[in-house]
Amino acid sequence: MMRRPMQAPPMNGPRFNEWIQSPKVRVIDHEGENLGVMYTREAMEQAKELGLDLVEVSPNADPPVAKFLDVGKFKYEAQKKANLARKSQKTQEI
C-alpha cells in the first residue's frame, strides 16, 4: 500500500500543527499562560481539544515557542498590520 505524499508546507506565514519540525516546543496557551516545554504531538492534541491550532511564533528560540491560536485569524491580523505599516511609511522622491 502506497502512502499519499503530504501536502506542501505553508509558504507564507508561520509553521503550524504538523509542519512544526521541532520535537519539543515551549507552549503558551490561548490565555497567555506559559504551559512549559512539552512534546509537539502532545501540544497539538491539547490545541485540537480547544479547537485551535499550534502555531510556531518564535522558531529561533531554544526550544521554539508555540501558541494555541487560530491560524486564519493570526494570518489576517498580520496582513492588516503589514498593510497599515506600508500605508503609513513615508517615501522620498529624488
Side-chain angles (χ1 to χ4, degrees), residues 9-10 13-17 19-22 54-57 59-60 64 71:
R15 290 187 290 238
F16 60 94
N17 292 339
W19 289 295
I20 297 176
Q21 298 170 346
S22 177
L54 184 68
V55 181
E56 193 175 48
V57 293
N60 296 330
V71 172

Side-chain angles (χ1 to χ4, degrees), residues 8-29:
M11 291 299 162
N12 54 354
R15 290 187 290 238
F16 60 94
N17 292 339
E18 57 271 350
W19 289 295
I20 297 176
Q21 298 170 346
S22 177
K24 289 186 177 183
V25 291
R26 182 173 307 277
V27 179
I28 310 294
D29 72 355

Side-chain angles (χ1 to χ4, degrees), residues 71-86:
V71 172
K73 185 176 179 182
F74 183 73
K75 285 184 180 180
Y76 175 74
E77 288 174 355
Q79 184 181 19
K80 281 188 72 166
K81 186 185 278 187
N83 286 344
L84 183 62
R86 189 169 6 121

